[in-house]
Every structure is written in structure tokens, then in C-alpha cells.
Amino acid sequence: MLTIDQDRLLSEIDALARITAVEPPAVTRIVFTPADLKARAWMRARCEDAGLRVREDAVGNTFARWEGSHRAAPAVGTGSHIDAIPNAGKYDGVVGVLGGLEAIRALRQSGFRPRSSIELLIFTAEEPTRFGVGCLGSRLLSGTLTADAAGRLTDSDGATLEIVRREAGFGGDLERVTLTDCYYKAFIELHIEQGPLLERQQIPLGIVTKIASPASLRVLVEGSGGHAGGVLMPDRRDALCAAAELILAIETAARTSGAIDTVATVGICDVFPGAVNSIPGRVRLSVDIRDTDLQRRDIVMRAIEAASHSISAKRQVSINSELLNADAPADCSPAIIEALSQSCRKHELNFLPMVSRPYHDSLFIARIAPVAMLFTPCRSGYSHRPDEYAAPEDIVRGTLVLAETLAALSE
Ligand code: GLV
Ligand code: MN
Ligand code: MN
């Protein structure tokens, strides 16, 4: 009989939420900042207290292993991330990490003994905040990103990942982070849905069949600055006005793709020099584009490129885009989906097969192992904001189904 300790799980979620760089309830934990390092140390201690063997790789991915009787066999993995974007909530990523740990503790307490090892994996920098690219840890684990390219990534202060990770205490060879494709026999990520469908349909669990494909760009618009009083309108080459047109063109490209599944977001707009009485001479934008269909996403990207050219010509500004990533979607494993479904049926829990529009580390682990994801509802679909909320009973249900499925796959 498996018992999920709801009180322990919720109090740990609360405790982790208090490790934040900003005033609670907002959570900000950017990779390799003091808050992230403190949260990592706290997590390591929780894993060791649970009797797991903990190791960290050169980029800080953390593995906590419950050795199975068949040590040489590929492991069954579960996990997610604990880094958080600026002004986030306390459930994104954390439910999969602390839920994964609680699932393992419940299995240990029940007397279950796995044949294949069961391993909790806490990925480094799922969020793109610091280095511009999301899923840094899993891109390296899956060999999607080379050690060289990763080491050269820079943050907004110009510090390279190579330097920043070493200062954070993670030395070692980035080349050795990659896992072989027989490391995991299965990987399951528990996560809040980050959308409204489960709540709207009053379904307690979602089983992910596919993860949508993300892409992102950094755009630099350069015009000509100057005095806000002295330069007359016909003489202006205002970078922000050009950027504003581009932002609306990006929105139009996504809205008119022909499918509700296309989304595009400009989440960062840095204006230089940022003075009331100075014409913006330079603007940096971030662009995030996603779709369940790779070809349609790429059509939208080409439309954005065409809009950049025409706005640049019309307004006499330069617009340069740097492609940070453009990833393919991932299909989840039918065998793991079936194992999750069996556990749901056993507990008479209704579930919804669904696509994940947000990306997750599972998108990349899918390149080296069979993966699936289990979603729990979150209030109003809110995520990436401090009022993100998931109900205790939903988190516990997800953790129970995760635990049973880990057990089934590790036998
Ligand atoms: C991950 O946080 C995402 O942006 O989908
Ligand atoms: Mn997130
Ligand atoms: Mn997440």
C-alpha cells in the first residue's frame, strides 16, 4: 500500500518557495545565483535524508539514485527543475522534483524493492532567463548542445557559462555530461499543466502525448538616437517605433497562422538609452515562438524575418536577429503512457491525453530515452506568476500515479 505524505510534500514545497531572491510569494531563482545555490543545497540534503545517493555533473544537473537490485540495468528516471523565472510561483518544476522525491520515499516506505534503479534528476536551468536558452541541463545530457557551444553561452553581463558554473562550484568536463541512450529505460516528468484545460474540464490528471516545439530569437534594432526636442519627426530613425511595428507583426504572424496552436511572445524589450527626452537609438527584443506543428512554426518564423526586412527598409533602421534555438517537437512513449493510464484506471481517476505547449526537459530527454509527462491542474491555468496555485489533492494524486508507474517500470 502506497501512502503519499501530503503534509511533508506541501511543507517542502512551501520551504523551497521561501528560498527566493525576491519578496514572497514571488519566487525568483535564477541559475547559479545565491538563491539557486541555496535551493540546490537544500534539495541535496532532502535527497540524502531520504537515503539516496547524490551526484552532480559538470553543469550542476543533480542525480539522486535509489539503487535497484539489477545495478547494471538502465534506470527509471523522474524529475524536473527548481530554477524559477523572475516573479514566478512555487509549483513550476518543483512539483516534479519534490513530487518525484516523495514518490520515491513512499515506495521505500511501502517495502517495494526496485529491480532497475530509480533516479530523481534535478535539471540545471530549465528556464532560459540567464543564458537565453531553456533546458540547458537536458540539452547537454542529450547531446543536443555541444560542450563547446554551452561553455560559450553568455549572460547579460557577458559572463560565460564556463566561468559562471565554475564560480558556482561546478568544475569538471562539460563533455562528460552527455548520457548514453541506454542510461534510462524510461523517464517520467510530473508537472503542473500551466494551462487551463484540466481545470476547465474538471479532470484531475493529464497524460502528455506530445511536447510542442519551441524556438527563440534575440533581435537587435538599431536606429539613431538624439534629442527628443531637437530632432524633427521626418529626420528620425527611432529604434523603438520600429521595434513596436515588429512586435505587432510577430503577433499577427502567430494569430494568422491558421491554427490556435501557434503562439508568439515578445517578453523582453530593452530600450537604450532609456531616457524621457532621448530618442531610442537601440532596442533589444526577445522572441519566443511555439507550435505543435514544426512546419507551421517555421512558416511563422519566416514571416517574422520578412517583416524585419520590410520594417528595416521602411524605417531606415537595422534589424538583426540571432536564432537561439529552434527545436523539434517530441512524442511521448506509448508504453509509458499506457503504464500511467493503468495506474489512473486502477484508482478510477479520469485523465486527459494532451499536448504540452510549454517546453520541458523531457523534450530533450526524449532524444535519448522513452519519456512521458503527467500533468496536474493549476488554478485558472496560471503559471510563471506568483499566484500560480495547484491544489494539494491534485499534487498528491499526481505523485501517487507517478510512484506506481515508477514501480511498474522498474520491475
Ligand atoms: C518553460 O518554462 C517554458 O517556457 O515553456
Ligand atoms: Mn517555467
Ligand atoms: Mn517547468
Side-chain angles (χ1 to χ4, degrees):
M1 174 67 186
L2 275 182
T3 313
I4 304 300
D5 186 336
Q6 172 171 324
D7 291 344
R8 175 168 60 189
L9 178 52
L10 295 183
S11 81
E12 286 182 342
I13 291 173
D14 286 341
L16 190 47
R18 287 192 292 273
I19 307 178
T20 166
V22 294
E23 195 57 34
V27 179
T28 299
R29 271 193 305 264
I30 296 170
V31 65
F32 298 146
T33 59
D36 177 62
L37 295 178
K38 193 171 169 194
R40 286 167 177 275
W42 183 89
M43 263 321 302
R44 253 194 328 269
R46 299 286 77 68
C47 292
E48 281 163 1
D49 286 351
L52 305 180
R53 189 165 54 78
V54 178
R55 79 172 171 97
E56 291 160 334
D57 68 16
V59 78
N61 290 312
T62 303
F63 304 77
R65 185 174 271 242
W66 178 15
E67 230 35 278
S69 57
H70 194 353
R71 282 170 178 246
V76 177
T78 187
S80 194
H81 62 100
I82 57 168
D83 65 320
I85 67 159
N87 204 40
K90 63 181 177 185
Y91 300 96
D92 175 4
V94 167
V95 166
V97 171
L98 288 173
L101 177 60
E102 187 55 40
I104 292 174
R105 286 190 294 222
L107 287 170
R108 286 169 78 92
Q109 273 159 23
S110 74
F112 175 78
R113 292 287 167 261
R115 186 167 172 278
S116 301
S117 300
I118 297 182
E119 187 171 79
L120 178 70
L121 173 45
I122 308 165
F123 295 98
T124 285
E126 190 268 350
E127 301 291 6
T129 314
R130 185 156 188 181
F131 291 101
V133 195
C135 301
L136 255 187
S138 54
R139 281 177 195 273
L140 278 160
L141 289 169
S142 60
T144 307
L145 181 66
T146 63
D148 254 13
R152 280 188 270 107
L153 290 171
T154 51
D155 68 9
S156 56
D157 295 330
T160 60
L161 172 66
E162 184 56 24
I163 300 284
V164 173
R165 71 165 179 118
R166 286 184 185 278
E167 282 176 0
F170 299 100
D173 187 356
L174 281 181
E175 301 272 1
R176 299 188 53 192
V177 170
T178 317
L179 299 177
T180 66
D181 56 10
C182 47
Y183 186 88
Y184 284 125
K185 70 188 270 202
F187 189 89
I188 310 174
E189 183 169 0
L190 173 68
H191 206 282
I192 57 167
E193 181 199 348
Q194 305 182 286
L197 302 181
L198 293 172
E199 184 189 61
R200 265 188 210 155
Q201 299 181 45
Q202 300 196 328
I203 298 181
L205 288 167
I207 297 183
V208 175
T209 54
K210 179 177 184 170
I211 307 172
S213 48
S216 63
L217 308 168
R218 239 184 225 147
V219 180
L220 178 63
V221 183
E222 287 177 295
S224 181
H227 197 288
V231 183
L232 296 176
M233 298 312 278
D235 297 329
R236 293 197 182 197
R237 292 166 51 227
D238 184 320
L240 182 57
C241 291
E245 272 200 49
L246 181 58
I247 292 169
L248 293 177
I250 292 168
E251 184 190 42
T252 302
R255 277 187 191 274
T256 57
S257 78
I260 193 79
D261 291 321
T262 320
V263 289
T265 308
V266 175
I268 297 177
C269 179
D270 283 336
V271 181
F272 180 84
V276 183
N277 52 357
S278 181
I279 299 162
R282 195 162 73 222
V283 172
R284 277 179 203 283
L285 301 177
S286 67
V287 188
D288 176 307
I289 309 143
R290 312 184 188 205
D291 206 313
T292 50
D293 182 272
L294 190 56
Q295 280 173 352
R296 198 169 48 220
R297 186 204 65 196
D298 289 345
I299 291 171
V300 169
M301 290 177 73
R302 286 196 289 278
I304 293 171
E305 202 184 327
S308 300
H309 288 309
S310 72
I311 294 164
S312 157
K314 186 175 79 180
R315 289 187 167 268
Q316 294 296 293
V317 298
S318 72
I319 303 183
N320 287 303
S321 297
E322 182 194 353
L323 179 67
L324 297 176
N325 65 290
D327 304 296
D331 288 319
C332 293
S333 147
I336 308 179
I337 290 174
E338 180 48 31
L340 288 164
S341 313
Q342 266 181 24
S343 169
C344 290
R345 285 193 287 267
K346 176 174 154 196
H347 295 282
E348 297 183 346
L349 291 169
N350 195 4
F351 60 88
L352 185 68
M354 61 196 307
V355 168
S356 172
R357 292 158 207 285
Y359 57 70
H360 301 281
D361 293 297
S362 292
L363 179 67
F364 297 98
I365 297 302
R367 299 180 181 194
I368 52 164
V371 303
M373 293 191 70
L374 186 60
F375 276 179
T376 58
C378 57
R379 188 170 61 200
S380 309
Y382 290 167
S383 186
H384 284 184
R385 42 190 280 180
D387 54 356
E388 179 181 84
Y389 175 77
E393 57 279 15
D394 286 326
I395 296 174
V396 167
R397 272 194 281 262
T399 304
L400 176 67
V401 170
L402 173 67
E404 278 194 356
T405 311
L406 291 174
L409 295 172
S410 67
E411 268 169 342

